[in-house]
Amino acid sequence: NKTPARVNTPLSIITEAFENLADLLKPDITTEEEEDGLSLDAFCNACTHVSVLFSCLGFAFKFAEMEYISKVNDLVEASKTLDTLQNILDLDVEKDTVKTPGSRSRNLRRVRLGLDLIRAIFEKFLMTDEYSLKDAATTAYTEVCAPFHTWAVRTAVYAGMYTLPTRDQLLIRLDETEQSVEKNMRRYMEASRPIIEYIDKLYIERNIKLDW
Ligand code: 1PZ
C-alpha cells in the first residue's frame, strides 16, 4: 500500500497525538538521568483527542462518550497537582483506593481499556476490507472490554453496535479512503501499544493484578 497517510483528518490528529506521547517513553540517550515517569499532562492531552472519533459513531454511543470523557476529565483535574501517571497509582496505593469506584487509578485503568479497545477495533477493521465496523467493533469489544464490564453494560453495548455506521459511512466521516485509512490506523496501533504496556506495568509493579 503506497498510498500516503492523509493529514489533518480526525484519525491523523489522534495518531499524531499518540505518536508524540509514545516518543516520550523512548529512553533519552542524551542524558544519563533516571527517567521520572510519563507526564500526566501529556497523557491527558493525547486522550482528549480521542473525542473526535465519537462524533463519527452516532447517537447510541453518546453514553460511551460521556463515560470516557468524564474519566479523562478526572485525570485532567489530577494533572493540576500531580506530574506523572505513577503519582496517581502511588497515592491510591497509599490510601488503599486503587479499585474504588471513581478513584483515579480506577479511571486510569478504564481509559487504558478504551485506548486498547480502539487499537483492537482498528486491528480487526484492517484484517479484510469486507469487515463491517459493527463486526470489527463487536469482536474487539468482546476481547478487550467485555470481560471487565457488567452484564447490563455489555448488553447495552452489543445492542448499540447495530446502530454503528457502515464501513463506507465511517470512512467518509473520517475523511479517509479504504487505502488512506490503513496508514493512520496502523500508526495508532503502533503508537498506543507501548503506552498501554507502560500503564499495565505501573499496576503490575505494585502487585496489582489486572483482572478488573
Ligand atoms: C470507531 C470505533 C467504534 C467503536 C464503538 C465501540 C464502543 C464501545 C463502548 C464501550 C462503552 C462503555 C460503557 C460504560 C462502561 C462503564 O461500565 C465503565 C464503568 O467504569 P466504573 O465507573 O465502574 O469504573 N466505564 C468505562 O469503562 C469507561 C468508558 C470506556 C469507553 C471507551 C470507549 C472507547 C472509544 C471507542 C471509540 C470512539
Side-chain angles (χ1 to χ4, degrees):
N1 179 3
K2 294 250 161 58
T3 314
R6 287 196 177 176
V7 291
N8 294 327
T9 66
L11 264 187
S12 71
I13 293 166
I14 296 171
T15 294
E16 262 175 49
F18 282 93
E19 282 177 345
N20 292 338
L21 188 62
D23 280 344
L24 297 181
L25 286 177
K26 298 196 177 123
D28 185 352
I29 46 166
T30 57
T31 62
E32 297 277 300
E33 280 167 52
E34 180 101 334
E35 68 138 307
D36 45 7
L38 187 59
S39 153
L40 183 54
D41 244 348
F43 176 74
C44 291
N45 205 322
C47 291
T48 305
H49 280 98
V50 170
S51 303
V52 282
L53 266 191
F54 286 106
S55 55
C56 304
L57 300 183
F59 174 75
F61 286 94
K62 200 75 204 157
F63 175 67
E65 175 177 10
M66 284 162 53
E67 262 294 303
Y68 176 82
I69 290 175
S70 78
K71 262 91 190 164
V72 172
N73 281 345
D74 179 53
L75 299 180
V76 170
E77 197 53 39
S79 73
K80 292 175 184 167
T81 51
L82 304 175
D83 287 334
T84 65
L85 298 193
Q86 63 197 42
N87 292 155
I88 290 188
L89 269 286
D90 287 335
L91 272 178
D92 280 317
V93 166
E94 202 178 303
K95 292 187 292 179
D96 198 18
T97 48
V98 171
K99 299 184 189 177
T100 307
S103 83
R104 283 157 174 177
S105 298
R106 178 164 169 137
N107 290 342
L108 175 61
R109 170 101 183 113
R110 297 302 182 199
V111 170
R112 172 260 182 248
L113 289 170
L115 301 180
D116 201 14
L117 175 63
I118 297 169
R119 186 205 52 75
I121 291 169
F122 290 177
E123 185 184 279
K124 311 293 170 207
F125 192 82
L126 293 179
M127 280 182 7
T128 85
D129 50 18
E130 252 99 275
Y131 227 146
S132 68
L133 175 61
K134 169 189 160 284
D135 289 341
T138 302
T139 313
Y141 176 79
T142 300
E143 256 175 47
V144 174
C145 287
F148 309 109
H149 282 164
T150 61
W151 178 86
V153 167
R154 290 199 304 269
T155 306
V157 171
Y158 286 127
M161 293 294 182
Y162 287 90
T163 71
L164 282 174
T166 64
R167 188 176 180 99
D168 290 342
Q169 279 168 341
L170 180 73
L171 292 174
I172 292 168
R173 291 183 199 176
L174 291 175
D175 193 22
E176 302 278 356
T177 65
E178 197 64 68
Q179 289 72 38
S180 72
V181 80
E182 183 168 347
K183 286 270 173 9
N184 284 329
M185 285 190 173
R186 289 212 188 283
R187 285 170 58 201
Y188 173 86
M189 286 160 60
E190 257 173 56
S192 61
R193 201 179 307 272
I195 297 161
I196 290 165
E197 282 169 10
Y198 176 85
I199 296 172
D200 285 350
K201 211 165 91 196
L202 293 176
Y203 295 84
I204 293 162
E205 280 170 353
R206 290 164 180 78
N207 290 319
I208 302 157
K209 285 212 200 82
L210 296 176
D211 56 355
W212 52 291

